[in-house]
Amino acid sequence: MTVADIASWLKGELVGDGTREITRVAKIEEAGSADLTFLSNPRYEQHVRRTGAVAILVSRTFDIAKASAPPSLAFIRVDDPYLAFLEVLKRLTPSLDPFGKGIHATAVISPTATLGTGVDIGAYAVIGDGARIGGGTRIAEGCVVGTMAEIGGDCRLFPHVTIYHQCRVGNRVTIHAGTVIGSDGFGFAPKPDGAYEKIPQLGIVVIEDDVEIGSNCSIDRATMGETLIMKGVKLDNLIQVAHNVVIGENTVIAAQTGISGSTKLGKNLMVAGQVGFAGHLEVADRTVIMAQSGIPESITEPGKTYFGYPAKERNRAFRIEAVIRSLPELAREVASLTRRMDEVLKKLESKS
Amino acid sequence: MTVADIASWLKGELVGDGTREITRVAKIEEAGSADLTFLSNPRYEQHVRRTGAVAILVSRTFDIAKASAPPSLAFIRVDDPYLAFLEVLKRLTPSLDPFGKGIHATAVISPTATLGTGVDIGAYAVIGDGARIGGGTRIAEGCVVGTMAEIGGDCRLFPHVTIYHQCRVGNRVTIHAGTVIGSDGFGFAPKPDGAYEKIPQLGIVVIEDDVEIGSNCSIDRATMGETLIMKGVKLDNLIQVAHNVVIGENTVIAAQTGISGSTKLGKNLMVAGQVGFAGHLEVADRTVIMAQSGIPESITEPGKTYFGYPAKERNRAFRIEAVIRSLPELAREVASLTRRMDEVLKKLESKS
Amino acid sequence: MTVADIASWLKGELVGDGTREITRVAKIEEAGSADLTFLSNPRYEQHVRRTGAVAILVSRTFDIAKASAPPSLAFIRVDDPYLAFLEVLKRLTPSLDPFGKGIHATAVISPTATLGTGVDIGAYAVIGDGARIGGGTRIAEGCVVGTMAEIGGDCRLFPHVTIYHQCRVGNRVTIHAGTVIGSDGFGFAPKPDGAYEKIPQLGIVVIEDDVEIGSNCSIDRATMGETLIMKGVKLDNLIQVAHNVVIGENTVIAAQTGISGSTKLGKNLMVAGQVGFAGHLEVADRTVIMAQSGIPESITEPGKTYFGYPAKERNRAFRIEAVIRSLPELAREVASLTRRMDEVLKKLESKS
C-alpha cells in the first residue's frame, strides 16, 4: 500500500508525498524506510525530527509546521492516531489463523445441540445436550461446552476452555486456553461436628457481548441467580471471580486479581494485577485500583484511585508510604525527644 | 409439597397452617407467596414481621409469640434452620446433572484399569494403566487419570482434571475443572555454574474423603512420601499446594492462597483468599487467617485470628493499622515536638 | 549396589567398609541399616555420630577423624554430597514412567507436522499444521500444540498443556499439566466511548533449553517480537508471565508470582511466591525477592535482597517492619511527649 492508499483507507488527510510504499508499522523511535509510525503521546513529539519513518499518523490538530520533521516525512491526519495505527497494523500483518476450519471429525456434538452457520469446532471438543452455539463462533481443540450452555455468535474459545452446564456467553467473546466458566461457588455451611455441608450452587454465569477473558481464569457460577460479566469487560489471566459477583461494563482487570463473592464492581474500572476484593462490596464506576491492593470495604465515590493493603485513596496512601519509608528515623527522633524531655524536666526541677 | 410435608420430612415441629403449597425457597427479605424461608442469624429477626413467605424455618428455641409475624406465616422448628433450608433447597431445585451416564465410547480406558460399579466416564477421558476407580464415581470429559492412580467411590471430577500417576483420591471427593493433582514439587539444587539440577519428586498426593477442590488449582506431589489433604478439607479455586504440605481435617481455604513446601496446617482452619504461607511451618488448629496475609512463621496457639503482611494477631494488627492510617499526622506531630523542644531549650538556656 | 559400587560410580573416595549393600537413600536423621545418606549442611554434622546409615556422602575436605562416627559407617568423599545423593536417589528409585510409549492411535497429527525419532504422543493430543517436534520428546494426553509451533528434543509436556500457534520451545524443557504458552498479551486501547479496542498480539513466546514450568501457568505471547524465557529458568505453578517479558538464564520463580508486561528479569534471580513485578522494569542479576513483595521500579544493583510492598532492600525493610510492629507504643510515646511538652511550656510560662 502507498501512503496515499493508507490515508484514503483511514479517511485521513494526507500532507506530503503519498507515493511511497508502506510494508510495515513501527514505533516512532524504531521506524525505518518502509514504515508507518504514529504520534499519540506528546512526550514523543521530539522524535518526529529524527524519525526514519516514511509516514506518520498524527492528530487533526497537530502543528506540522512546528515539528521540524525531515522533508521526506509524510503526515496523515486522523482522529485518533493510535487506533488508526492499530488498524494499519492488523491490515499489514498476515496474522495466522489459529483455528481450524469446519467441524473436526472427532468433535463430539450432542444431537440436541444447535449450531449456527459457519461454526468451527476443533478436534476432541465436546458440545453437550441442548447447548447452543451462535454463527461464526470458533471453538478450539479440547473445549467442553456443557449441557444447555449457550454461546453467542463470532466468539473464539481457545483450547481446553470449560463452559459448565447452563452458563451463557454473549457475542464476540474471546476466552483463552484453560479458563473455566461456571465451576461451583465456594459455599459451605459449618455442621456441629466441625465438618461442612455443601451449599448447592444452583445459579449460572452470564457473560455479555465483547468480553475477553485470558487463560486459566476461574469464574464461578452463582449460588442462586447469576454471576455477571457485563459488556466489554476485559480480564487478564489467572483471575478469580467468585459466585454472584457482578463486573460492570468496560471494566478492565489485570492478572491474578481475585473478587470475592457477591461483590459488585462498577463500569470502567481499571484494576491492576494481584488485587483482592473482599465479598459483598460495591465499587463505584471509574475507580482505579493499583497493583496488589486489598479492598476491604465499598467505594462509593466514582473515579478515585486506591493503593495499599488495606487500600487507601492514592495520595493519602503515598503520603503514608513516605512516612513508612522513614520510620526508623522517626522512631529515633521520638527516642531522642524522650531523652531531651527527661533532661528538660530535670533542669526545670533543679531550678524550682 | 405442603408445609406439613416439609415439616414432617425435616422431622421439624409445625406451628400454624400446614396445608399451603411450597414450590421455592428464598431469603427472608425476598420470599413471596410460594416460598419457604429461614431465620438463622438473629440480625434478620426484624424481617419476620414483614416477610411474604408461606413458611419459615426457625430454631427449636425461637420465641414465636414475640415475633409479631403475619398470621398466615407458618413456623417449622428444626435443630439448624440453615442446614434444613439447604436440604429443602436441594430437594426443590431440579438441578441439572452435568455428568453423562455410562462410559462414553471415546473414553480410553487401560485394560489394566479397574472400575467399580456405576462409574460414569465422559468423552475423551483417559484412564491409565493400573488405575482404580471406585463405584459411583463420575469422571467428566477430557479428564486424565494417570498410571496407577486411585480414585475412591462417589467422586466427581469435572472436565480437564489431571490426576498424575500414583496419586490417591478418597471417597466423595469433588474436583473442579482444570485442577492438577500431583505435578512435580518445585525442587532444584544449585550447581556450581549457576544452573540447577532437578531434585526428583518421587512422592505422591493423597486426598482423603469428603474433600472438595475448586477449579484450576495445583497440588504438587511430595519429594518423598505424601502431600496430604485430609478429610473434609474444602479448597477454592487457583490454590497452590506445594510438595509435602499437610492440610488438616475440615480446613477451609479461599481462592488464590498458596502454601509453601512442607508446611503443616492444622484442623478447622479458616483461611481467606490470596494468603501466603512460608515453607516448613506448623499452624495450630482453628487458626483464622484474613485475606492477603503472609504467614512467615509457625502459629502454635490454636484458635487465634491473624492479619497482615507479615501477619500479626488480629487485634494487634488492627491497632497497628490504625496508627499507619494516621502516620502523616504522627510525623507532623513529631516534627512539631522537635521544633518546640528546640524552642524550650533555647528559652532554658537564655534563662540560665 | 554395594557401597564400593556407589563410590566407584560417583568417582568418589571410599573410606571404610565397601562390602555392604545399599538399597535406599534417606536423610541423615532418618537413615537406617540399608541406607545411604549425605552431609551437606554443617548444621547436620552432629547427626553423623548417631546415624544408622550404612554409608554417608561427605565433601572432599570433611574431617572424618573428628566426626566420632559409628565404626561401621562408611564414608564416600565426593565434590558435592547433595548432588551426588540426588544421582543415587534417581538410580535407586524405580520411578514410574508416566508417559505412554509411541504415538497413540487417537492422537491427531497434522500431515504437515514433523516429528523427530522416538517421539511419544498420548491419547487425544493434537499436533497442528506445520508444527515440529524434536526427537525423544514426550507429549502427554490431551496436549494441544498449535499451528507452526516448534518443540525441541527430549521435552516432556504433561496432560492438557496448550502451546499456541508459532510459539517455540527449546530442548529438554518440562511443562506441567494445564500450563498455557502463548495466550494473547493483555493489550487494549481505550476508545472515546469508554469501550476498548483490542491491540493485536502478533508476537510469540520463545522458551529456551532446560527450562521447567509448573502446572497451570500462563505465559502470554508478545505484542510484537517475543516473550522470552531463557535457558535454565525454573517456574513453579500458577505463574503469570505477561507479553514481552524477558526472564534471564537460571532465574528461579516460586508459585503465583506475576510479571507485568515488558519487564526484563536478569540472570540467576531467586523470586519467592506471590511476588508482583510492575511493567517495563529491569531487574539486575542475582536479585533475591522475598515472598509477596511488590516491585514497583527497576533494580539496578545486582545481588541484593528485597522485601515488602512496595519492596525495599531487605535490611531496611526489616528495620521498618520492626518499627511497624511497635507503632501503637510509638504513637503512645508521641502522645505522652505532647502532653509533657504542654506541661513544660506551662511551667516555663508561669516562671517568666
Side-chain angles (χ1 to χ4, degrees):
Chain A
M1 287 171 101
T2 64
V3 174
D5 291 340
I6 288 173
S8 129
W9 179 63
L10 292 172
K11 301 195 176 71
E13 179 196 345
L14 173 65
V15 178
D17 178 7
T19 62
R20 289 170 68 194
E21 201 68 25
I22 296 288
T23 59
R24 296 191 324 174
V25 298
K27 292 181 199 165
I28 192 165
E29 66 271 31
E30 296 169 358
S33 65
D35 293 352
L36 175 78
T37 191
F38 72 103
L39 177 69
S40 180
N41 186 335
R43 280 174 44 199
Y44 286 80
E45 213 168 301
Q46 37 152 334
H47 288 284
V48 175
R49 288 166 211 226
R50 11 172 220 268
T51 184
V54 170
I56 184 166
L57 298 162
V58 296
S59 72
R60 299 275 181 196
T61 59
F62 183 74
D63 189 338
I64 294 175
K66 273 198 184 158
S68 322
S72 65
L73 183 67
F75 289 81
I76 303 174
R77 292 182 186 283
V78 290
D79 292 337
D80 186 322
Y82 185 50
L83 291 180
F85 176 80
L86 293 181
E87 288 308 309
V88 181
L89 170 62
K90 280 190 278 189
R91 177 136 178 191
L92 288 183
T93 311
S95 166
L96 192 151
D97 181 358
F99 291 89
K101 288 282 178 200
I103 292 174
H104 196 276
T106 62
V108 169
I109 298 171
S110 162
T112 59
T114 314
L115 306 191
T117 58
V119 167
D120 297 324
I121 301 185
Y124 302 129
V126 179
I127 312 294
D129 294 343
R132 304 170 70 94
I133 316 278
T137 283
R138 316 185 72 182
I139 295 180
E141 295 77 11
C143 287
V144 174
V145 176
T147 307
M148 305 291 290
E150 292 181 29
I151 298 176
D154 296 314
C155 292
R156 299 184 307 154
L157 272 60
F158 284 89
H160 301 130
V161 167
T162 302
I163 311 286
Y164 274 60
H165 52 291
Q166 297 169 302
C167 292
R168 297 206 304 262
V169 175
N171 300 298
R172 298 173 303 280
V173 171
T174 295
I175 305 177
H176 282 280
T179 280
V180 174
I181 308 289
S183 43
D184 278 355
F186 194 62
F188 297 91
K191 292 193 285 191
D193 65 351
Y196 286 88
E197 174 77 17
K198 182 174 175 72
I199 300 172
Q201 303 293 311
L202 302 165
I204 62 172
V205 176
V206 173
I207 295 172
E208 295 188 347
D209 294 347
D210 300 306
V211 167
E212 179 152 348
I213 302 177
S215 52
N216 284 333
C217 291
S218 289
I219 302 184
D220 279 350
R221 66 199 307 113
T223 308
M224 292 185 268
E226 301 172 357
T227 301
L228 177 60
I229 315 288
M230 294 175 80
K231 200 166 163 359
V233 165
K234 311 297 180 191
L235 303 182
D236 199 348
N237 306 328
L238 291 162
I239 286 175
Q240 153 73 1
V241 179
H243 47 184
N244 294 87
V245 163
V246 176
I247 304 183
E249 285 184 21
N250 297 323
T251 278
V252 173
I253 303 180
Q256 294 178 320
T257 283
I259 307 165
S260 302
S262 301
T263 280
K264 289 179 175 44
L265 304 185
K267 298 180 192 179
N268 289 94
L269 267 61
M270 296 184 67
V271 180
Q274 296 182 337
V275 168
F277 291 88
H280 299 274
L281 309 184
E282 302 207 8
V283 179
D285 295 348
R286 290 177 287 108
T287 299
V288 176
I289 314 276
M290 298 176 71
Q292 290 191 325
S293 295
I295 310 297
E297 51 195 24
S298 290
I299 293 175
T300 54
E301 203 181 336
K304 296 246 168 193
T305 301
Y306 290 82
F307 172 66
Y309 162 65
K312 290 110 191 161
E313 195 277 318
R314 182 181 62 175
N315 292 341
R316 181 75 192 167
F318 282 12
R319 273 203 296 276
I320 291 171
E321 174 60 21
V323 181
I324 287 177
R325 285 187 173 276
S326 57
L327 270 184
E329 290 68 34
L330 188 74
R332 219 172 298 140
E333 198 173 340
V334 171
S336 147
L337 276 169
T338 299
R339 270 196 310 277
R340 293 166 75 191
M341 181 62 78
D342 292 345
E343 286 165 25
V344 163
L345 287 175
K346 216 177 281 176
K347 278 191 194 173
L348 276 176
E349 252 166 58
S350 71
K351 289 198 180 178
S352 56
Chain B
M1 285 172 103
T2 64
V3 174
D5 290 342
I6 289 173
S8 129
W9 179 61
L10 291 172
K11 300 194 177 73
E13 179 197 345
L14 172 65
V15 179
D17 177 8
T19 62
R20 289 170 68 193
E21 202 67 26
I22 295 288
T23 59
R24 297 190 325 174
V25 299
K27 292 181 198 165
I28 191 164
E29 67 272 31
E30 297 170 356
S33 65
D35 294 351
L36 176 79
T37 190
F38 72 103
L39 177 68
S40 182
N41 186 334
R43 279 174 46 198
Y44 286 81
E45 214 168 302
Q46 36 153 336
H47 288 284
V48 174
R49 288 166 212 224
R50 11 172 222 267
T51 184
V54 169
I56 185 165
L57 299 162
V58 295
S59 71
R60 299 275 180 195
T61 58
F62 183 73
D63 189 339
I64 293 175
K66 274 199 186 157
S68 322
S72 66
L73 183 68
F75 289 81
I76 303 173
R77 294 182 185 285
V78 291
D79 292 338
D80 187 322
Y82 185 49
L83 291 181
F85 176 80
L86 294 180
E87 288 309 308
V88 180
L89 170 63
K90 280 190 277 189
R91 178 138 177 191
L92 288 184
T93 311
S95 166
L96 194 150
D97 181 357
F99 292 89
K101 288 282 178 200
I103 293 173
H104 196 275
T106 62
V108 169
I109 299 171
S110 162
T112 59
T114 313
L115 307 192
T117 57
V119 167
D120 297 323
I121 300 185
Y124 301 131
V126 180
I127 312 294
D129 294 343
R132 306 171 70 92
I133 317 279
T137 283
R138 316 185 71 182
I139 294 180
E141 296 77 9
C143 287
V144 175
V145 177
T147 309
M148 305 293 289
E150 293 181 28
I151 298 176
D154 297 314
C155 292
R156 298 185 308 156
L157 272 60
F158 284 89
H160 301 132
V161 166
T162 303
I163 310 285
Y164 274 59
H165 51 290
Q166 297 170 304
C167 292
R168 296 206 305 262
V169 175
N171 301 298
R172 297 173 304 280
V173 171
T174 294
I175 304 178
H176 282 279
T179 281
V180 175
I181 307 290
S183 42
D184 278 356
F186 194 62
F188 297 91
K191 293 194 285 191
D193 64 353
Y196 287 87
E197 175 77 19
K198 183 175 174 70
I199 300 171
Q201 303 294 310
L202 304 164
I204 62 172
V205 175
V206 172
I207 294 172
E208 295 187 347
D209 295 346
D210 301 305
V211 168
E212 179 152 347
I213 302 177
S215 51
N216 283 333
C217 291
S218 290
I219 302 183
D220 279 351
R221 64 199 309 114
T223 309
M224 291 185 267
E226 303 171 357
T227 301
L228 178 59
I229 315 289
M230 295 176 80
K231 197 166 167 357
V233 165
K234 311 297 179 189
L235 302 182
D236 200 349
N237 305 327
L238 292 162
I239 287 174
Q240 152 72 3
V241 179
H243 47 184
N244 295 87
V245 162
V246 175
I247 304 182
E249 286 184 21
N250 298 322
T251 278
V252 173
I253 302 180
Q256 295 178 318
T257 283
I259 308 165
S260 302
S262 300
T263 280
K264 289 178 175 47
L265 305 185
K267 298 179 193 178
N268 288 94
L269 266 63
M270 296 185 67
V271 180
Q274 296 183 337
V275 168
F277 292 88
H280 298 274
L281 309 184
E282 302 208 5
V283 179
D285 295 349
R286 289 177 287 110
T287 298
V288 175
I289 315 277
M290 296 175 73
Q292 290 191 323
S293 296
I295 310 296
E297 50 196 24
S298 290
I299 293 175
T300 53
E301 203 181 335
K304 296 246 169 194
T305 300
Y306 290 82
F307 172 66
Y309 162 66
K312 290 108 188 161
E313 194 276 316
R314 182 180 62 175
N315 293 339
R316 181 74 191 169
F318 282 13
R319 273 203 296 276
I320 290 170
E321 174 60 21
V323 181
I324 286 177
R325 285 187 172 275
S326 57
L327 268 183
E329 289 69 34
L330 188 74
R332 218 172 300 141
E333 198 173 340
V334 171
S336 148
L337 277 169
T338 298
R339 269 196 312 277
R340 293 166 76 191
M341 181 63 77
D342 292 345
E343 286 164 27
V344 163
L345 287 174
K346 215 178 284 175
K347 277 191 196 174
L348 277 177
E349 250 165 60
S350 70
K351 289 201 180 176
S352 58
Chain C
M1 286 172 102
T2 64
V3 173
D5 291 340
I6 288 173
S8 128
W9 179 62
L10 291 172
K11 300 194 177 75
E13 178 197 345
L14 173 66
V15 179
D17 176 8
T19 62
R20 289 168 70 192
E21 202 67 26
I22 295 287
T23 60
R24 297 191 325 173
V25 298
K27 293 181 197 164
I28 192 164
E29 65 272 32
E30 297 169 357
S33 64
D35 294 351
L36 176 78
T37 190
F38 71 103
L39 178 69
S40 181
N41 185 334
R43 278 173 47 198
Y44 286 79
E45 214 169 302
Q46 36 154 335
H47 288 284
V48 175
R49 286 165 212 226
R50 11 173 221 268
T51 184
V54 170
I56 184 165
L57 299 161
V58 296
S59 71
R60 299 275 181 196
T61 59
F62 182 75
D63 189 338
I64 294 175
K66 274 198 185 158
S68 322
S72 65
L73 183 68
F75 290 81
I76 303 174
R77 292 183 186 284
V78 291
D79 292 338
D80 186 323
Y82 185 50
L83 291 181
F85 176 79
L86 293 181
E87 288 308 309
V88 180
L89 171 63
K90 281 190 276 189
R91 176 135 181 195
L92 288 184
T93 311
S95 165
L96 193 151
D97 181 357
F99 292 90
K101 287 283 178 200
I103 292 173
H104 197 275
T106 62
V108 169
I109 298 171
S110 162
T112 60
T114 315
L115 306 192
T117 57
V119 167
D120 297 323
I121 300 186
Y124 301 129
V126 180
I127 312 294
D129 293 344
R132 305 171 70 93
I133 316 278
T137 283
R138 317 185 72 181
I139 294 180
E141 296 77 9
C143 286
V144 174
V145 176
T147 307
M148 305 292 290
E150 291 180 29
I151 298 176
D154 297 314
C155 291
R156 297 183 308 154
L157 271 60
F158 284 88
H160 301 130
V161 167
T162 302
I163 311 285
Y164 274 60
H165 51 289
Q166 297 169 305
C167 291
R168 297 206 304 261
V169 175
N171 301 299
R172 297 172 304 279
V173 170
T174 295
I175 304 178
H176 282 280
T179 280
V180 174
I181 307 290
S183 42
D184 278 357
F186 194 62
F188 298 90
K191 293 194 286 192
D193 63 353
Y196 287 88
E197 176 76 20
K198 182 174 175 73
I199 300 171
Q201 303 294 312
L202 303 163
I204 61 171
V205 176
V206 173
I207 295 172
E208 294 187 349
D209 295 346
D210 301 305
V211 168
E212 179 152 348
I213 301 177
S215 52
N216 284 333
C217 289
S218 289
I219 301 184
D220 279 351
R221 64 198 310 114
T223 308
M224 291 185 268
E226 301 171 0
T227 301
L228 177 58
I229 314 288
M230 295 175 80
K231 198 167 165 357
V233 166
K234 311 296 180 191
L235 303 182
D236 200 349
N237 305 328
L238 292 162
I239 286 174
Q240 152 73 0
V241 180
H243 47 184
N244 294 86
V245 162
V246 176
I247 304 182
E249 286 183 21
N250 298 323
T251 278
V252 173
I253 302 180
Q256 296 178 317
T257 282
I259 307 164
S260 302
S262 300
T263 280
K264 288 179 176 45
L265 305 184
K267 298 179 193 180
N268 289 95
L269 267 61
M270 296 185 68
V271 180
Q274 297 183 335
V275 168
F277 292 89
H280 298 272
L281 309 184
E282 302 208 7
V283 179
D285 296 348
R286 290 176 287 109
T287 298
V288 176
I289 315 278
M290 297 175 72
Q292 292 191 323
S293 296
I295 310 296
E297 51 196 21
S298 291
I299 293 174
T300 53
E301 202 181 335
K304 295 246 169 195
T305 300
Y306 290 82
F307 172 66
Y309 161 65
K312 291 109 191 161
E313 195 276 315
R314 182 180 63 173
N315 292 340
R316 181 75 191 167
F318 282 13
R319 273 203 294 275
I320 290 170
E321 174 59 21
V323 182
I324 285 177
R325 285 187 172 274
S326 56
L327 269 183
E329 289 69 34
L330 189 74
R332 219 172 298 141
E333 197 172 343
V334 172
S336 146
L337 277 168
T338 299
R339 268 195 314 275
R340 294 166 75 190
M341 181 63 77
D342 292 346
E343 285 164 25
V344 162
L345 288 174
K346 215 176 284 175
K347 279 192 194 171
L348 277 175
E349 252 165 58
S350 70
K351 290 202 178 174
S352 55

